[in-house]
Amino acid sequence: MDPRRNGYLIILLLVLLGGDMVKGGNVVLNVEHKYGGVRGHNLRELKAHDVRRHGRMLAASAADFQLGGNGSPTGAALYFTKVAIGTPSKDYHVQVDTGSDLLWVNCEGCNRCPTKSKLGIEMMQYNLQASTSGKSITCEQDVCTAMFDATSSDCKVGKPCEYMVTYGDGSTTGGYFVKDNIYLDQVSGDYKTSPLQGNIAFGCSSKQSGDLGTSTNAVDGIIGFGAANMSVISQLAAAGTVRKMFAHCLDGVGGGGIFAIGQVVEPKVNSAPLLANRAHYTVTLKDIEVGGEVVNIPTSIFEWKSKGAIIDSGTTLVYLPSKAYNAMMNKLMAKQPELKTHSRDGDFDCFMYRGNVDDGFPPVTFQFTGNLSLTAYPHDYLFEVRDNEWCIGWQEATGGKDGDEIFLLGDLLLSNKLVLYDLEKKTIGWTQYDCSSNIKVKDETTGNVYTVGAHKISSASTTRAFTFFFSLISFLCFLLN
């Protein structure tokens, strides 16, 4: 996420529920940010985080996707939350990732699963035998073949439905699929919640390797919000429990924000179609403007295999193809011709500047189809690492297959905007927004519209094992996961 963000990031996840259980209800969750402020922060670590994630995203293949293989390893996503699973329920800290699909958690007896974390959380491992509502998934069950495409000849009747995910840096996670209860917080009024129970299939990790097994910033697993059949949102939508749409609003100024699944009625957003048959949420990019002037970039860069631009809230910075990066940087730095830049940590162009960066540098706008645009102001793409020393967040795409041809847009662009993913209409949209405020969501059963507010985790008060409540006068309501 944006390295300028101070403190922890908390995101409230709201789920609008439909179906027989509690149709049209809303659910929320708090998500912590892994990194604090950028002053004194290791910039190389931030870049390495994105490079690892970029490589893993590029490594996604048909084989990986057959088993829910577009997951992000423990060290990749920058925010996490708690999810309660099983009967009796136990809490698992999982990273929330819009760039992956599968929910998986560490299993009891897991080989090389981390047992300690510097995040200050208690690590937990799922035990199928200890949950009275837990069930194993075997090869002959429809959920194995239809949802996870487990068609291997080794998958025989009565054998566990297995998965294995390999990432671009060589990290792996493998195990088997199970089904159990998951507990959500249904929004029942303005800043109010009530409990809700669902039932989903997820991965139980029995072995890990590489960064997944050694990360010091470990969590218990990953919850993906991709569009594939195995994602939590897809499973709940297929059961008629939720609408297949979600939104996030990340506060890049004070930390905090909102993450919502379901129908957001305020604010309104303009949308554009998502490119079909893509592993990640991708939209067509038309051009880039610096200070209102179009950057001279070969059109072939935008049209290459119609790849478009990947929208990924788990990536910190913005990565551009070489020709696009160089053309944009030349135009941007032409506004300050006397400025001398230097390299910091080998990856960032930095400079000394005593003035107001918003006065001295131009905004950068990405123009998409559907009259959509994303604008980064100087205070968005420049961050102060120490007194009067500023570094630039734009990065040249490197590494991985076809890495030089990819536009990867992270939180540098997505912060301070409400971003709405409508997987029913297959569109994505956004609008500039104060993510420290609130949004309004609709209960489709009653037609009522409820207010959901943002908050910081440091203000949270735990009132039950997996829920934080937030009142309009005092504090925070709700958390899923």
Side-chain angles (χ1 to χ4, degrees):
M1 303 237 163
D2 193 319
R4 294 170 292 101
R5 192 164 295 149
N6 294 321
Y8 290 114
L9 169 65
I10 171 171
I11 302 172
L12 297 170
L13 173 62
L14 155 73
V15 182
L16 288 172
L17 299 172
D20 294 334
M21 268 198 298
V22 184
K23 186 172 182 179
N26 307 330
V27 176
V28 293
L29 100 125
N30 295 330
V31 182
E32 293 188 38
H33 190 258
K34 183 182 290 185
Y35 294 127
V38 73
R39 273 181 173 267
H41 194 84
N42 188 332
L43 296 183
R44 188 180 298 276
E45 179 183 344
L46 286 175
K47 179 66 179 292
H49 152 75
D50 279 355
V51 168
R52 288 195 303 269
R53 178 178 180 81
H54 194 186
R56 289 158 183 160
M57 292 177 70
L58 294 174
S61 66
D64 289 339
F65 283 111
Q66 287 177 354
L67 297 177
N70 181 20
S72 172
T74 303
L78 291 179
Y79 49 96
F80 61 93
T81 188
K82 286 194 295 184
V83 56
I85 300 174
T87 306
S89 66
K90 293 185 177 181
D91 292 337
Y92 302 86
H93 292 84
V94 291
Q95 294 184 347
V96 180
D97 186 16
T98 63
S100 67
D101 301 297
L102 181 66
L103 166 63
W104 62 267
V105 296
N106 297 329
C107 264
E108 186 165 299
C110 175
N111 182 19
R112 294 200 65 195
C113 285
T115 57
K116 295 182 180 180
S117 174
K118 289 186 178 180
L119 297 176
I121 61 176
E122 180 181 355
M123 302 293 289
M124 183 68 64
Q125 294 185 345
Y126 177 80
N127 185 347
L128 178 63
Q129 285 68 40
S131 174
T132 59
S133 54
K135 297 180 180 179
S136 62
I137 296 177
T138 52
C139 293
E140 74 276 9
Q141 292 178 297
D142 290 342
V143 68
C144 182
T145 56
M147 182 175 294
F148 302 113
D149 291 333
T151 57
S152 169
S153 59
D154 293 332
C155 198
K156 306 293 186 182
V157 173
K159 291 187 65 175
C161 181
E162 298 181 341
Y163 75 92
M164 174 65 72
V165 180
T166 301
Y167 301 101
D169 65 349
S171 297
T172 64
T173 175
Y176 51 92
F177 290 107
V178 297
K179 198 168 188 177
D180 207 340
N181 291 338
I182 184 172
Y183 302 91
L184 313 176
D185 286 333
Q186 177 193 355
V187 175
S188 53
D190 290 344
Y191 308 105
K192 295 180 181 179
T193 62
S194 57
L196 176 72
Q197 176 182 305
N199 192 262
I200 60 166
F202 59 94
C204 194
S205 179
S206 59
K207 56 184 176 181
Q208 294 174 11
S209 70
D211 187 59
L212 278 176
T214 60
S215 175
T216 57
N217 290 325
V219 290
D220 299 318
I222 294 168
I223 182 169
F225 280 90
N229 289 339
M230 75 285 294
S231 70
V232 171
I233 186 173
S234 293
Q235 290 188 61
L236 294 177
T241 304
V242 303
R243 295 290 302 276
K244 200 172 181 180
M245 56 181 67
F246 67 92
H248 59 68
C249 195
L250 310 179
D251 185 354
V253 178
I258 304 167
F259 197 109
I261 297 177
Q263 186 178 5
V264 178
V265 296
E266 289 184 21
K268 302 292 186 182
V269 302
N270 293 325
S271 298
L274 289 164
L275 290 177
N277 303 317
R278 295 296 190 273
H280 310 282
Y281 297 117
T282 308
V283 64
T284 300
L285 179 63
K286 297 195 300 183
D287 56 48
I288 302 174
E289 298 176 0
V290 173
E293 300 178 2
V294 175
V295 178
N296 185 18
I297 301 173
T299 56
S300 59
I301 297 295
F302 298 112
E303 296 172 353
W304 186 82
K305 293 185 180 180
S306 298
K307 201 159 190 109
I310 296 171
I311 307 296
D312 179 37
S313 64
T315 292
T316 307
L317 306 172
V318 168
Y319 297 82
L320 309 173
S322 297
K323 292 181 179 179
Y325 170 82
N326 291 326
M328 187 196 74
M329 287 295 294
N330 288 338
K331 198 169 189 66
L332 189 153
M333 298 309 293
K335 305 294 182 179
Q336 292 284 347
E338 304 300 321
L339 202 63
K340 296 184 182 298
T341 62
H342 61 271
S343 177
R344 186 178 178 89
D345 285 352
D347 293 310
F348 291 84
D349 289 327
C350 305
F351 54 85
M352 303 302 295
Y353 190 78
R354 295 182 179 277
N356 185 326
V357 293
D358 284 321
D359 294 334
F361 295 86
V364 176
T365 300
F366 292 72
Q367 298 287 357
F368 303 86
T369 57
N371 294 320
L372 277 177
S373 64
L374 271 176
T375 297
Y377 296 95
H379 64 264
D380 294 321
Y381 64 79
L382 299 174
F383 49 94
E384 191 175 17
V385 292
R386 63 182 183 182
D387 289 344
N388 301 318
E389 183 180 9
W390 296 81
C391 292
I392 303 170
W394 310 116
Q395 296 287 305
E396 184 176 359
T398 58
K401 181 181 178 182
D402 300 326
D404 286 340
E405 304 297 339
I406 282 183
F407 290 89
L408 182 59
L409 312 183
D411 288 338
L412 185 151
L413 274 176
L414 302 179
S415 295
N416 309 312
K417 298 169 183 68
L418 180 77
V419 183
L420 176 62
Y421 307 72
D422 190 332
L423 306 186
E424 296 176 353
K425 296 181 179 178
K426 296 179 173 57
T427 62
I428 188 171
W430 47 74
T431 186
Q432 194 78 24
Y433 199 65
D434 178 4
C435 298
S436 67
S437 57
N438 55 59
I439 63 173
K440 293 186 181 295
V441 299
K442 184 178 181 181
D443 183 317
E444 296 187 9
T445 299
T446 65
N448 292 333
V449 173
Y450 298 131
T451 300
V452 175
H455 213 297
K456 297 179 184 179
I457 201 160
S458 59
S459 303
S461 176
T462 303
T463 58
R464 55 190 177 109
F466 60 99
T467 307
F468 295 97
F469 290 100
F470 174 50
S471 76
L472 185 59
I473 300 176
S474 44
F475 18 37
L476 207 136
C477 70
F478 39 81
L479 181 131
L480 174 165
N481 266 15

